[in-house]
Amino acid sequence: VKEKKMWREVPEPKVPDIKVEYHSEGQVAVVSLNRATKFNAITFEMFDNLRKVFEYLGRNGSDVRAIVFTGQGKHFSAGLDLKSAMQMQQLRTEGQDRDPARAAFDFFGTVKALQDSVTSLEAVRVPVIAAVNGLCIGAGVDLTSAADIRIASKSAKFTIKEVDIALAADIGTL
């Protein structure tokens, strides 16, 4: 991949849980969730890292003309990582002795950061194609909903489990 010299160099984010490969002389970037042993369950850090990767790929001066977004291994994503979900529940119940409106407003900051990460797929200046294989659950559906094009294999199965437990899917599906 030839890299253009820009007036301001922007370092490529290197994160272990997201793999980026370049094809067609750097014009096609393949972004993969890279936690196949955990069925690509998405942690809070992965949400932040996805935002960084998509902002980098969509920056001015980039040679990237299209992005394929997929998951390594057998499944696209098992959704939100359970440890992250437990952290979210702790954040939600933190400060129960405080005014409920203030506690909810503080929790909104966490949800907004996750929403911004999902929105980064939609905001990037080039088309994003979600290539879905296997399971695509919850947060995986949120992310694919933000892509411009979604292609699913015959084995793909989509589900939003928040519905089953009376929660709003408020990170990106709504």
Side-chain angles (χ1 to χ4, degrees):
V1 177
K2 64 177 184 178
E3 187 67 30
K4 290 181 184 176
K5 291 291 179 190
M6 296 175 23
W7 65 273
R8 188 180 95 198
E9 293 294 321
V10 179
E12 181 174 4
K14 299 287 185 191
V15 291
D17 48 12
I18 298 172
K19 182 178 178 184
V20 180
E21 297 176 309
Y22 296 94
H23 301 277
S24 299
E25 297 181 9
Q27 293 185 342
V28 176
V30 178
V31 176
S32 302
L33 300 174
N34 194 24
R35 293 184 74 208
T37 59
K38 301 277 188 183
F39 300 129
N40 297 316
I42 304 167
T43 65
F44 284 158
E45 293 79 22
M46 285 177 75
F47 275 110
D48 191 46
N49 290 337
L50 276 169
R51 182 188 50 76
K52 289 175 187 173
V53 166
F54 278 94
E55 286 176 355
Y56 173 80
L57 294 173
R59 76 195 186 288
N60 286 334
S62 172
D63 287 335
V64 173
R65 299 292 171 257
I67 300 169
V68 176
F69 180 48
T70 192
Q72 291 284 306
K74 193 170 152 180
H75 300 291
F76 181 82
S77 176
L80 185 63
D81 182 80
L82 292 178
K83 288 181 184 175
S84 289
M86 301 226 357
Q87 287 175 345
M88 185 176 262
Q89 186 58 30
Q90 283 178 322
L91 287 171
R92 182 174 242 162
T93 58
E94 229 173 55
Q96 286 290 352
D97 55 340
R98 297 184 330 169
D99 172 40
R102 292 185 196 282
F105 191 75
D106 289 346
F107 183 68
F108 171 74
T110 301
V111 173
K112 179 74 170 110
L114 298 174
Q115 289 172 339
D116 289 346
S117 295
V118 171
T119 301
S120 70
L121 276 77
E122 182 271 328
V124 71
R125 64 176 182 76
V126 299
V128 176
I129 303 163
V132 181
N133 55 300
L135 296 175
C136 183
I137 300 173
V141 174
D142 294 339
L143 290 165
T144 60
S145 295
D148 297 294
I149 300 170
R150 289 158 290 286
I151 299 173
S153 70
K154 285 184 179 182
S155 69
K157 303 241 185 280
F158 297 84
T159 186
I160 304 167
K161 300 311 283 179
E162 289 91 338
V163 174
D164 295 338
I165 56 174
L167 290 177
D170 56 359
I171 294 176
T173 301
L174 288 179

